[in-house]
Amino acid sequence: MLILDALSGALGANPIQRATLQTGLLTLVLLILSLACTPLRLLTGWTWPARIRKTLGLLAFGYAALHFLIYLFDHGFDLTLMTEDVLKRPFITAGFTALLLLVPLALTSTPGAVTRLGFQRWTRLHQLSYVAVSLGALHYYWGVKQDHTPPLIYAAVIATLFLIRLLKRRPARQAGSRPAKP
Ligand code: HEM
């Protein structure tokens, strides 16, 4: 999509900014979709959302990495400049932390990692995705200069997904059942 836009000149007068915005939004949408898989399964009993969750999570990580690479390209791959930006601008701090949190999740997305870590520890580690998606939404909110409605809508969707998990999970926990994957 981005490549087609770049080739056809559809990225506009500021292609770097356009590409940053597109990859940032795609990352957030994919993170939310992967987060929506468990609530959807809990609400409907469907099993297919659980099967696509890992792919969605890895795609989100891929787009986050691309988003970051475009940012680095825009800053001449100057790591000192990047570090200063991460330390000085809360908006960048939030995005960078979200990206860092996604790294261990991507690295432990294999079935072998679940066996190595043990199910409980793996589950706890993958709960970092909740923090990552929340930081992604905060990064979006802080980054927007004018209309804050779109980031607030994303935040409301994330909050609703968290609420569904909480409300649907509690009876299972009380019954002493094995915790489900995040
Ligand atoms: C999981 C990680 C991340 C997510 C979900 C994310 C998401 C987003 C979103 C949704 C936007 C706004 C899009 C719009 O306004 O239409 C954005 C913009 C931006 N992001 Fe990220 N981001 C992430 C990580 C990062 C990182 C690591 C950096 C750089 C260190 C970064 C730098 C930027 C910049 C500079 C913009 C603003 C572009 C502009 O307004 O010109 N992001 N990001």
Side-chain angles (χ1 to χ4, degrees):
M1 199 51 189
L2 269 173
I3 295 169
L4 282 179
D5 280 356
L7 291 175
S8 64
L11 283 178
N14 193 340
I16 300 286
Q17 189 191 27
R18 183 80 192 273
T20 311
L21 297 182
Q22 280 193 2
T23 49
L25 263 189
L26 256 168
T27 305
L28 192 59
V29 168
L30 285 162
L31 280 176
I32 292 174
L33 286 178
S34 70
L35 189 78
C37 289
T38 299
L40 195 61
R41 177 179 58 78
L42 292 171
L43 287 175
T44 61
W46 295 335
T47 53
W48 63 264
R51 289 199 297 274
I52 62 166
R53 191 183 47 195
K54 184 171 110 179
T55 310
L56 289 170
L58 285 174
L59 269 175
F61 177 67
Y63 272 104
L66 183 60
H67 182 63
F68 180 53
L69 269 179
I70 297 170
Y71 164 90
L72 280 181
F73 173 77
D74 196 27
H75 291 72
F77 290 97
D78 184 336
L79 295 183
T80 315
L81 203 66
M82 183 211 81
T83 311
E84 277 172 15
D85 214 13
V86 169
L87 295 176
K88 271 194 202 141
R89 294 165 76 196
F91 145 68
I92 296 293
T93 316
F96 190 69
T97 312
L99 176 65
L100 286 186
L101 292 181
L102 292 181
V103 175
L105 305 190
L107 291 176
T108 56
S109 64
T110 57
V114 185
T115 317
R116 265 198 319 279
L117 288 172
F119 185 77
Q120 296 263 358
R121 273 209 302 176
W122 185 91
T123 303
R124 237 177 288 132
L125 178 70
H126 278 251
Q127 281 171 349
L128 284 180
S129 62
Y130 308 154
V131 185
V133 74
S134 307
L135 284 173
L138 187 64
H139 165 73
Y140 183 15
Y141 182 82
W142 277 343
V144 165
K145 276 130 208 144
Q146 283 156 7
D147 184 9
H148 282 89
T149 314
L152 284 176
I153 292 173
Y154 279 84
V157 171
I158 294 168
T160 309
L161 292 173
F162 285 161
L163 202 67
I164 297 172
R165 276 167 187 270
L166 272 178
L167 295 177
K168 293 295 257 180
R169 280 279 170 78
R170 198 159 292 153
R173 285 254 169 84
Q174 279 165 358
S177 65
R178 187 192 198 206
K181 286 182 183 180

